[in-house]
Amino acid sequence: MIAIGSDHAAFEFKEAIKAYLTEKGYALEDFGTCNNERVDYCDFGFRVGEAVASGVCEKGLIFCGTGVGISISANKVKGIRAVVCSEPYSAKLSREHNDTNILALGARVVGIELAKMIVDIWLTTGFEGGRHLERIQKIARYEGGDNCIGTQH
Ligand code: RB5
């Protein structure tokens, strides 16, 4: 199950990505927003982040005007590694090297066709593990309160 959410600035963008992925056979859980009324992007970043961190959803897609505010919010949820990007290269590498579990896009930054390409690549690229695993484990240790800066694995 893929969690999806946006603020008002990206509502139509979310609906377009939702229709695109549903057509491709993905199962999605929509955490809102559900219209153009002004909302706080952080609520949707937190909701999608919690759905992914808890394991209810395996990955998440979040959108706001720039992708910035909603990605910052999702990254405050323990266990979330959200990337905001506007091109496929970073989306791909964020999966291979950083095992990102949430992708954020800016509806006012990327066109919908580019967005579909980025989403496709992000959803279908796997994590490489190895040395990259040790680094994300270190991030998790730091997040858990361990002052592991500069320590060896
Ligand atoms: C809403 O106007 C806008 O601030 C929001 O969508 C987002 O871009 C914040 O980072």
Side-chain angles (χ1 to χ4, degrees):
M1 183 73 73
I2 308 291
I4 193 165
S6 76
D7 72 354
H8 56 288
F11 167 64
E12 272 110 14
F13 187 92
K14 169 172 69 68
E15 294 303 299
I17 295 292
K18 200 167 78 178
Y20 174 69
L21 292 177
T22 302
E23 171 79 15
K24 292 189 116 190
Y26 285 97
L28 299 168
E29 184 163 353
D30 190 344
F31 288 82
T33 191
C34 52
N35 56 45
N36 291 305
E37 275 171 44
R38 193 166 294 181
V39 289
D40 293 333
Y41 56 77
C42 28
D43 293 333
F44 302 90
F46 298 148
R47 283 185 186 125
V48 170
E50 288 185 3
V52 174
S54 67
V56 168
C57 292
E58 130 204 12
K59 284 179 183 164
L61 299 169
I62 49 176
F63 316 121
C64 65
T66 58
V68 173
I70 203 161
S71 62
I72 291 172
S73 311
N75 273 319
K76 297 297 177 191
V77 179
K78 197 171 178 181
I80 292 305
R81 293 177 301 280
V83 60
V84 55
C85 60
S86 51
E87 36 70 33
Y89 181 79
S90 300
K92 182 171 189 288
L93 270 288
S94 84
R95 288 288 308 126
E96 290 178 347
H97 290 191
N98 315 110
D99 198 20
T100 48
N101 47 16
I102 291 189
L103 171 67
L105 297 172
R108 294 171 178 160
V109 179
V110 293
I112 195 66
E113 296 307 320
L114 176 57
K116 289 175 189 172
M117 182 185 288
I118 295 170
V119 167
D120 279 341
I121 285 171
W122 187 80
L123 285 174
T124 55
T125 302
F127 177 49
E128 280 180 3
R131 70 185 192 281
H132 303 298
L133 177 62
E134 290 165 358
R135 289 164 183 161
I136 65 168
Q137 284 172 337
K138 195 172 204 177
I139 294 170
R141 290 214 311 276
Y142 183 82
E143 190 176 46
D146 178 4
N147 182 11
C148 54
I149 301 170
T151 60
Q152 294 305 307
H153 304 297

